[in-house]
Amino acid sequence: MKTLIAANWKMHGDLSWAAKPKAFRDAHGPQNTNVEILICPPAYLIPALVKGSEGQDILIGAQNCHQEQGGAFTGEMSADMVANCGGRYVILGHSERRALFGETDGLVAAKAKSVLASSLVPIICVGESREQREAGDADEVVGAQLKNSIPESADGHKLVIAYEPVWAIGTGLVPTLEDIASMHDHIRGILSARFGENIAQSICILYGGSVKPSNAREILALKDVNGALIGGAGLEMDSLCAIAREAL
Ligand code: PGA
């Protein structure tokens, strides 16, 4: 499988950012073909980014969507709408959505079902808090999140999992390489028990939390790490593509 390097722009950017992918490509030429680069901008920028990245080998996605496909849901956007404007992936259950907007595993599963129904790929985020890791509960917490956030109807195709320890997001702190490898192995095992070994091996498992050009190589080289979900270091094409170059 190709390595997936995904940028989560969170609530950053303006219309001028739609020109970033093309400007970078013009300056640096095509990127490593073993790597897929995905940018998930704020929803209102998706159409402009899709247009701005045409022919750039860069995919565009959303950071969230509603679980219903339409209706009286003021302020929301459906998976069909993401698809309609050219988005290909939807990040779901990011720890900020879970902590600040009260998203539960059940809601994440409902959203993921809707994303799959729209022929998009859900990136389901899981990860333990610092207290849970210190208490030795990380495996159990992540296991339960995985079990309950992947919809019953999913068959394991077109699914991406992002392991993002909450305490590593935006803090500059990163788990040890051993801890990342061990959690990714644990996640692969759970996916294997649910979907079978072959399908589990084809599911892309991203690591996220303070990934930057200087630590990307050693993280991306770990077994069962198939890419990265990047916040701060993904806001500039320079550092996003520097990370992508470390995935060899
Ligand atoms: P960070 O964010 O790379 O800034 O730590 C990661 C994320 O929120 O997905």
Side-chain angles (χ1 to χ4, degrees):
M1 100 182 66
K2 284 191 177 187
T3 300
L4 179 62
I5 300 295
N8 171 10
W9 279 2
K10 308 192 179 183
M11 202 166 75
H12 300 292
D14 59 40
L15 268 177
S16 72
W17 288 33
K20 284 189 178 199
K22 184 169 184 323
F24 187 84
R25 171 73 171 262
D26 287 351
H28 299 277
Q31 296 303 297
N32 180 348
T33 50
N34 295 323
V35 176
E36 205 107 68
I37 294 182
L38 168 70
I39 296 177
C40 298
Y44 87 106
L45 289 179
I46 295 174
L49 253 300
V50 167
K51 197 161 186 306
S53 60
E54 259 168 23
Q56 310 297 317
D57 312 325
I58 289 179
L59 302 171
I60 305 301
Q63 299 170 14
N64 179 37
C65 70
H66 194 267
Q67 64 275 25
E68 299 294 336
Q69 291 294 15
F73 301 104
T74 301
E76 294 291 326
M77 176 162 172
S78 71
D80 271 354
M81 291 171 181
V82 176
N84 188 241
C85 52
R88 303 273 296 277
Y89 289 76
V90 184
I91 298 172
L92 293 174
H94 186 280
S95 75
E96 286 150 21
R97 300 282 330 159
R98 292 177 185 265
L100 304 174
F101 302 96
E103 293 200 1
T104 60
D105 291 338
L107 182 59
V108 173
K111 290 181 174 199
K113 188 172 174 200
S114 189
V115 166
L116 288 165
S118 300
S119 299
L120 303 178
V121 182
I123 300 178
I124 297 178
C125 302
V126 294
E128 81 287 354
S129 66
R130 177 186 285 283
E131 296 71 34
Q132 289 164 334
R133 172 152 293 271
E134 283 171 359
D137 294 337
D139 279 5
E140 197 185 319
V141 167
V142 167
Q145 285 178 332
L146 264 188
K147 176 170 181 286
N148 300 318
S149 303
I150 299 175
E152 292 280 334
S153 54
D155 61 8
H157 292 107
K158 298 185 59 149
L159 185 62
V160 175
I161 303 299
Y163 168 56
E164 298 204 302
V166 178
W167 52 274
I169 295 177
T171 58
L173 301 172
V174 180
T176 63
L177 295 176
E178 290 71 25
D179 283 346
I180 296 174
S182 154
M183 184 60 84
H184 280 240
D185 177 65
H186 176 59
I187 291 172
R188 187 82 69 200
I190 291 171
L191 295 172
S192 183
R194 179 147 172 189
F195 299 116
E197 177 67 16
N198 282 350
I199 292 178
Q201 287 299 339
S202 73
I203 297 176
C204 180
I205 308 177
L206 308 179
Y207 167 77
S210 297
V211 176
K212 42 189 188 278
S214 59
N215 62 16
R217 179 167 300 204
E218 53 189 15
I219 294 173
L220 292 169
L222 293 171
K223 182 169 174 292
D224 291 314
V225 174
N226 308 118
L229 181 54
I230 302 148
L235 294 175
E236 293 302 333
M237 292 303 293
D238 281 10
S239 66
L240 179 62
C241 293
I243 290 170
R245 276 196 300 275
E246 299 297 345
L248 295 171

